[in-house]
Amino acid sequence: MTVLSSSVPVLEARNVSKLFGRVLALKDVSLSVRAGEVNCLLGDNGAGKSTLIKMLSGVHRPDSGTLAMDGEPITLSSPHDAQKRGIATVFQDLAVLPLMSVSRNFFLGNEPTVGVGPLRRFDIATADRVAREQMHEIGIEVRETSQLVGTMSGGERQTLAIARAEYFGARVLILDEPTSALGVKQSAIVLRHILRARARGLAVIFITHNVQHALPVGDKFTILSHGRSAGEFKRGEVSLEQLLSLMGGGSELAELATELEQLRAAGASLDAG
């Protein structure tokens, strides 16, 4: 069942700016996402995407501007504060431990226990059952929940981190370049899960520089270029070529294509001579 997005954004950044010393990383950038909506944050390397996401996840504080949840201004003092408010961020380098099992990683920091006092211990049976069920729900069949996460594929590790965030009550799911190091099949797993999260009513911010991954899943597209907003568009309002151009890569690609065509023509002339 698809959940329609509400009129009030779950999470917003309103005209936020950020300086690192004398380097202006962001200038008057705004972004919003509603429940049941995927906002794709697009931009080339160095556009300011990571800085903005770290503000929304409590790593950095804006030097100016406001963050808001459900229309009310908030201050995020730390990533833990963001998590308590229901903002879950899956960073590009992932918060999974390769030498620990699937079950241990799924409950990392939130382990279920049995027993009391000095007899309290990790509830392996519950952890194994829940981890298996949640991974199955998102389309990943775990051979053994005792399997080390380091033996899983990149796409499986991404979906483990996403499933964990959802299970622990995320309202906003922020995905930082989740498909950047994945092949076609593994990227498809992650993109399908983004749509499933949207259908369950989560507000999803999908950060990527890959427009071809963004277009199939995005309801809205926010473009950053050199630390500034280059526009915000709804699905159907902008083409792949326009997005590339707004991100700062369109003109360069066009110039490169022209240059290569000229070189090809010059080579053909030499061959004919």
Side-chain angles (χ1 to χ4, degrees):
M1 180 180 70
T2 300
V3 179
L4 297 177
S5 60
S6 67
S7 58
V8 179
V10 178
L11 181 63
E12 296 175 85
R14 303 171 179 169
N15 301 112
V16 295
S17 298
K18 185 65 180 177
L19 277 164
F20 293 104
R22 295 185 179 181
V23 178
L24 183 62
L26 288 178
K27 176 65 174 176
D28 294 330
V29 170
S30 296
L31 175 146
S32 65
V33 63
R34 293 167 171 78
E37 178 180 73
V38 178
N39 189 341
C40 295
L41 178 59
L42 300 165
D44 205 350
N45 292 331
K49 305 188 302 296
S50 293
T51 301
L52 179 57
I53 290 317
K54 286 177 179 177
M55 283 188 195
L56 294 172
S57 58
V59 177
H60 297 319
R61 292 192 188 186
D63 293 323
S64 63
T66 306
L67 301 181
M69 285 195 78
D70 302 315
E72 297 295 325
I74 61 169
T75 298
L76 297 177
S77 58
S78 67
H80 183 64
D81 186 18
Q83 290 169 8
K84 287 195 300 182
R85 294 175 183 269
I87 303 169
T89 304
V90 179
F91 287 106
Q92 190 172 355
D93 53 0
L94 293 178
V96 294
L97 300 177
L99 297 181
M100 290 182 68
S101 69
V102 171
S103 297
R104 285 282 187 176
N105 267 281
F106 195 90
F107 285 95
L108 199 61
N110 295 281
E111 290 82 358
T113 59
V114 291
V116 294
L119 298 179
R120 180 177 294 179
R121 62 194 183 280
F122 180 51
D123 187 350
I124 298 175
T126 297
D128 286 349
R129 175 181 55 79
V130 172
R132 188 182 297 279
E133 289 173 355
Q134 294 301 311
M135 294 297 284
H136 172 76
E137 186 176 326
I138 63 175
I140 302 297
E141 297 300 333
V142 178
R143 294 184 292 274
E144 295 289 340
T145 51
S146 59
Q147 151 184 12
L148 299 182
V149 166
T151 65
M152 300 172 74
S153 71
E156 289 171 336
R157 277 183 267 181
Q158 283 284 356
T159 50
L160 167 61
I162 294 169
R164 181 178 64 193
E166 293 181 18
Y167 180 77
F168 286 105
R171 296 181 61 208
V172 182
L173 186 60
I174 301 175
L175 305 176
D176 181 19
E177 299 276 7
T179 61
S180 63
L182 303 182
V184 175
K185 283 189 175 181
Q186 297 299 326
S187 293
I189 291 173
V190 176
L191 295 175
R192 280 197 295 269
H193 193 62
I194 289 173
L195 292 178
R196 290 174 183 169
R198 172 189 181 275
R200 286 196 287 271
L202 272 72
V204 182
I205 300 174
F206 173 32
I207 301 93
T208 183
H209 61 269
N210 191 325
V211 177
Q212 291 179 325
H213 287 174
L215 280 174
V217 300
D219 298 299
K220 189 161 61 178
F221 305 92
T222 301
I223 300 98
L224 292 184
S225 180
H226 303 293
R228 289 170 170 78
S229 176
E232 182 178 271
F233 304 89
K234 293 181 180 178
R235 184 176 183 83
E237 292 181 342
V238 64
S239 67
L240 182 147
E241 291 76 15
Q242 288 171 318
L243 285 173
L244 284 172
S245 181
L246 288 165
M247 287 167 60
S251 60
E252 288 86 348
L253 290 172
E255 290 171 6
L256 178 60
T258 301
E259 182 181 342
L260 291 174
E261 188 61 37
Q262 291 171 345
L263 289 171
R264 190 178 295 112
S269 298
L270 289 172
D271 290 340

